[in-house]
Amino acid sequence: AVLGLATAGIAAEDIVIADFEADNYGDWEVTGTAFGPGPARGTLPRQMVVTGYVGERLVNSYYDGDGSVGTLTSPPFTIERKYITFYVGGGAFAGRTCVNLLVDGRIVRTQTGQNSRPGGSERLVRHVWDVSGMIDKVARIQIVDQLKGPWGHITADHFVQSDERTGGTLRKEFAVDKRYLNLPVQNGAPKRRMRMVVGGQVVREFEIELAERLPDFWVFLDLTPFAGRKATIEVEGLLPGSHGLSQIQQADEILGSENLYREALRPQFHFTSRRGWNNDSNGLVFHNGLWHLYYQHNPYGVQWGNMHWGHAVSEDLMHWRELPIAIYPNRFDDWVFSGSAVVDVNNTSGFGKAGAPAIVAAYTSTGRGECVAHSNDGGMTFTDFEGNPVVRHAGRDPKVIWYGPGRHWVMALYDEEGGKRGIAFYTSRDLKAWEFASRIEGFFECPEIFELAVEGTGERRWVLHAADGDYLTGSFDGRVFTPDGGSGAAKQRFSHGNCFYASQTYNNVPAEDGRRVQIAWGRVEIPEMPFNQMMLFPVELALRRSGAGVRMCARPVREIERLWGQSGAWKEVEVSPGDNPIGAVQGELLHIRATLRPAGAAKCGFVVRGTEVAYDPAADKLTCLDKSASLSPVDGAIRLELLVDRTSIEIFANDGEVYMPMGIIPPANNKATRVLAQGGPVKIDTLEIHHLKSVWP
């Protein structure tokens, strides 16, 4: 049923002082260079993602980064309403990064941004000044950036005079009698702050681009925990006559899901969320026969924001079943950032029971610090530890592992202590009380640490890396990581593609399996869909010794063979320029494995749906689009393996010595595949091409 609505009374029409939707500042006075030539279209270069502003533009003094200063001052206006409402973000430094209300040249009200230490958030927050005692006074608004250095900038937007503190909040009470609350989204619409109140408590609160008319798509809020209860939906910033709230509907289905998983750009064998945005893989853990994939998730829009832990499970790493959100924010603006999960087999935390160990998640709370939460229902729901936060520091993204020789837990954390980027290690006996152990510099975000055998030897090495995947090998004693080659050792490149970021590997994989399985965020913008971004295909990691030292390799997990459909094979075929023995192969989902021997070719490889994957034997280089990697033949041949989906081509060369995941959206009408032989022939020692079946129901 469509919800009815009730509006808060509005005494007089609001007066917009400035909405900053033009491409210049108009009559506002500008000093310095910080504010640029005009309002910004959101996030500026090298800035964290800016959210919480209204419309398409805002004031943003990050124009030249945090090294510039300036002021922006409005023309005089008469105060005619009880309140002035506005949005502000950025630095929290009184008098230096702030918004001032000036009357008779004096500051009578002031408001800073929210951030004063590394990390933080570029979200603008709504504020209200009570100016009821200043009616008929002439005033000016002054936006100030007089600080250089970290958080030396201010963001501001949408200054309005109003007789309502809430700025036109619409609300509706309803009885929860369906599974989902379907919410209409229009991309680019003003972001509205929405909350759901049950039993007098705010149980959900987030920002959403609420559609006023025909939505681009629908997102949903799971009502299961509130079945049979009375609830109230509130939306800030809506004006009388708004259709935004009236379109919200309860239903037992997700509206618009008739073609779920069959959308034109839905990857068919990579995980994507049903609706909304995903980024980092989180909490990868194997438990009771299931591979759990938690992930950074905005359930209410297709851009970054509103961070929750989404959740999906699989029995085979191929076929994923999305489950309800696992960890919700503690409150608005205290988001659930990245982290990890472990199975506390020995019940060191006391969270579990005999024969039923708890899954314990460690995550960054943006409002509190590093937190832990436990699950006693197989990872479906989590309860926060009452002693949170367990670590306070400048940083985020805890990766927790069990260090067997010391019989203790290790937490690797991205750390910005002293303004330097690195990984800090903490230790604990019980997952609750943590002690600092050591720190290593030169890493940014999403740390990962694990041990691997070196193939074909009796050696083992520890691997340490952060979000970009570039890694060090070395030794680890449970407290200190010592790189091979000493403190000056250079990191090695892992991913040579254009979309790899923020990977994680699985904890608690059974010994009889023994693999180190990794899933990374595939940073691929997927346009005009009700979802955005993807996970890269699961890979098995290995260490191999080469002439250059120990190197990490990646291969698709063997379960890919479960998706094979129609297949073809070729052997001992010489291909001259212009020939194409695989011309009959047409498809958008492919697994290609080949051993190629340049036999005079200046370039060889494949062209898949218009995208060239080419090896240059003279340069010993493998290239796809603008990415390339060194590749040397083995016994005169190279081995290529390609996974082709609707929005990506993942390239593996010489059994994973080169890993090049590429985010690519090929032309919809081009499903052709051909062998590339340029400047001379190439010999195909072996070639197999498998059409792949979709993993979705």
Side-chain angles (χ1 to χ4, degrees):
V2 177
L3 299 178
L5 61 89
T7 64
I10 298 180
E13 185 176 348
D14 290 349
I15 301 171
V16 177
I17 301 170
D19 61 10
F20 300 108
E21 291 302 299
D23 59 3
N24 60 69
Y25 290 119
D27 294 336
W28 285 58
E29 296 178 7
V30 183
T31 67
T33 61
F35 293 95
R41 285 187 175 273
T43 306
L44 292 172
R46 300 179 302 280
Q47 187 176 26
M48 290 194 298
V49 176
V50 178
T51 63
Y53 56 96
V54 178
E56 296 184 356
R57 296 176 183 263
L58 76 156
V59 173
N60 189 342
S61 75
Y62 198 78
Y63 181 72
D64 284 325
D66 278 334
S68 56
V69 296
T71 62
L72 183 64
T73 307
S74 76
F77 63 92
T78 300
I79 297 175
E80 301 178 55
R81 300 288 186 269
K82 296 177 183 178
Y83 305 103
I84 294 177
T85 70
F86 58 98
Y87 296 79
V88 67
F93 301 98
R96 294 182 290 172
T97 55
C98 59
V99 176
N100 298 324
L101 180 66
L102 307 179
V103 174
D104 296 330
R106 296 184 301 107
I107 298 173
V108 295
R109 298 286 187 273
T110 188
Q111 179 63 55
T112 70
Q114 294 77 248
N115 303 278
S116 60
R117 61 176 186 167
S121 167
E122 287 281 15
R123 194 184 70 81
L124 280 73
V125 174
R126 186 174 183 272
H127 292 275
V128 180
W129 284 329
D130 185 338
V131 292
S132 57
M134 305 179 198
I135 300 296
D136 294 331
K137 295 282 188 181
V138 175
R140 303 180 80 181
I141 290 169
Q142 181 187 55
I143 306 173
V144 177
D145 178 353
Q146 292 296 318
L147 179 67
K148 296 182 179 181
W151 286 113
H153 64 276
I154 190 79
T155 52
D157 196 19
H158 209 66
F159 290 82
V160 175
Q161 294 195 59
S162 178
D163 281 332
E164 286 288 323
R165 291 187 66 93
T166 56
T169 295
L170 300 186
R171 54 179 60 86
K172 172 61 184 179
E173 290 187 0
F174 64 100
V176 176
D177 58 7
K178 303 291 184 184
R179 171 71 187 275
Y180 299 114
L181 191 65
N182 286 283
L183 311 172
V185 175
Q186 181 183 351
N187 290 323
K191 287 185 178 179
R192 306 298 188 188
R193 188 158 163 177
M194 180 180 291
R195 66 183 66 88
M196 188 167 82
V197 180
V198 177
Q201 300 294 317
V202 176
V203 295
R204 302 286 184 262
E205 191 168 10
F206 50 89
E207 290 181 324
I208 184 171
E209 294 174 320
L210 193 64
E212 285 286 344
R213 294 290 187 268
L214 185 67
D216 291 326
F217 59 94
W218 295 84
V219 296
F220 61 92
L221 190 157
D222 190 345
L223 294 172
T224 304
F226 315 108
R229 303 186 68 183
K230 296 286 188 180
T232 301
I233 286 289
E234 299 179 348
V235 185
E236 291 185 3
L238 296 180
L239 298 176
S242 167
H243 297 279
L245 190 57
S246 64
Q247 294 193 86
I248 295 174
Q249 303 180 38
Q250 283 193 83
D252 286 324
E253 304 81 28
I254 302 168
L255 294 185
S257 63
E258 298 81 7
N259 68 335
L260 180 62
Y261 298 126
R262 294 185 293 277
E263 301 94 340
L265 293 180
R266 175 77 69 173
Q268 291 298 289
F269 59 92
H270 291 79
F271 176 78
T272 50
S273 201
R274 287 174 291 181
R275 291 289 184 267
W277 162 280
N278 77 260
N279 51 289
D280 310 355
S281 58
N282 290 164
L284 300 192
V285 67
F286 183 89
H287 182 58
N288 287 346
L290 293 176
W291 301 87
H292 289 262
L293 167 61
Y294 302 96
Y295 56 95
Q296 290 286 278
H297 182 36
N298 178 4
Y300 308 115
V302 291
Q303 298 301 322
W304 186 93
N306 298 317
M307 285 293 100
H308 298 57
W309 268 30
H311 187 200
V313 294
S314 175
E315 295 179 356
D316 61 2
L317 288 167
M318 300 292 105
H319 300 85
W320 295 97
R321 176 166 53 95
E322 187 174 340
L323 298 173
I325 289 166
I327 304 180
Y328 284 89
N330 182 57
R331 57 172 172 76
F332 187 83
D333 210 27
D334 183 7
W335 305 116
V336 186
F337 272 20
S338 287
S340 56
V342 297
V343 179
D344 187 8
V345 175
N346 299 314
N347 199 24
T348 63
S349 63
F351 292 142
K353 300 175 183 178
I359 294 179
V360 180
Y363 68 91
T364 298
S365 154
T366 62
R368 293 171 289 162
E370 311 308 333
C371 294
V372 296
H374 71 276
S375 173
N376 296 119
D377 59 3
M380 301 300 112
T381 61
F382 286 83
T383 301
D384 258 11
F385 172 47
E386 61 184 13
N388 281 333
V390 295
V391 176
R392 289 183 182 271
H393 73 126
R396 55 189 177 273
D397 309 334
K399 175 60 191 271
V400 175
I401 63 170
W402 174 252
Y403 183 70
R407 298 194 61 77
H408 65 255
W409 299 98
V410 173
M411 180 187 289
L413 279 166
Y414 170 60
D415 186 75
E416 294 181 335
E417 194 66 37
K420 296 180 179 180
R421 294 174 171 178
I423 295 174
F425 294 102
Y426 290 74
T427 63
S428 174
R429 297 288 180 185
D430 62 3
L431 291 166
K432 301 173 183 176
W434 293 87
E435 294 182 355
F436 175 79
S438 67
R439 190 179 188 280
I440 183 170
E441 292 182 3
F443 294 89
F444 180 62
E445 295 190 322
C446 302
E448 174 67 289
I449 184 168
F450 49 85
E451 190 180 26
L452 280 176
V454 181
E455 289 184 349
T457 74
E459 303 174 66
R460 298 185 69 83
R461 289 286 190 278
W462 284 83
V463 178
L464 180 68
H465 68 78
D468 62 4
D470 292 353
Y471 64 95
L472 291 173
T473 61
S475 60
F476 184 62
D477 65 2
R479 296 179 58 84
V480 178
F481 180 86
T482 303
D484 292 336
S487 59
K491 288 185 287 186
Q492 300 300 318
R493 176 67 57 85
F494 174 63
S495 168
H496 297 270
N498 67 1
C499 64
F500 175 99
Y501 202 72
S503 69
Q504 199 169 108
T505 65
Y506 272 91
N507 283 328
N508 203 51
V509 175
E512 57 269 25
D513 183 311
R515 292 177 294 174
R516 177 62 58 176
V517 176
Q518 177 196 77
I519 296 179
W521 167 25
R523 296 200 292 186
V524 182
E525 188 73 18
I526 303 176
E528 299 179 5
M529 292 289 111
F531 62 93
N532 195 8
Q533 310 293 300
M534 59 184 274
M535 292 299 172
L536 293 180
F537 193 79
V539 297
E540 179 183 355
L541 302 179
L543 290 179
R544 294 193 200 127
R545 182 171 289 282
S546 68
V550 175
R551 295 293 183 264
M552 188 162 69
C553 306
R555 294 169 289 196
V557 294
R558 57 180 177 260
E559 287 85 350
I560 183 66
E561 297 180 7
R562 300 185 181 192
L563 305 183
W564 286 357
Q566 182 181 357
S567 300
W570 296 259
K571 191 173 183 179
E572 302 297 332
V573 178
E574 185 168 284
V575 180
S576 298
D579 292 346
N580 187 25
I582 61 173
V585 176
Q586 297 276 322
E588 58 179 358
L589 312 176
L590 300 172
H591 183 197
I592 301 172
R593 297 197 293 202
T595 301
L596 304 180
R597 193 176 299 276
K603 187 188 289 187
C604 62
F606 295 94
V607 179
V608 182
R609 301 192 66 189
T611 297
E612 187 176 281
V613 180
Y615 172 64
D616 180 343
D620 277 346
K621 184 178 290 186
L622 181 69
T623 299
C624 181
L625 300 180
D626 61 341
K627 299 299 180 182
S628 62
S630 297
L631 180 66
S632 298
V634 178
D635 297 328
I638 62 164
R639 293 184 295 278
L640 291 180
E641 185 167 8
L642 311 182
L643 299 181
V644 183
D645 204 342
R646 290 179 177 174
T647 60
S648 63
I649 300 176
E650 285 159 291
I651 304 162
F652 305 82
N654 286 358
D655 298 320
E657 289 182 10
V658 171
Y659 173 45
M660 187 182 289
M662 300 293 292
I664 296 169
I665 299 180
N669 60 354
N670 186 346
K671 295 181 172 60
T673 304
R674 66 181 175 90
V675 176
L676 175 66
Q678 185 174 309
V682 59
K683 182 179 179 183
I684 298 173
D685 284 1
T686 61
L687 169 61
E688 55 187 66
I689 300 179
H690 307 277
H691 291 267
L692 297 177
K693 294 174 286 188
S694 173
V695 301
W696 303 118

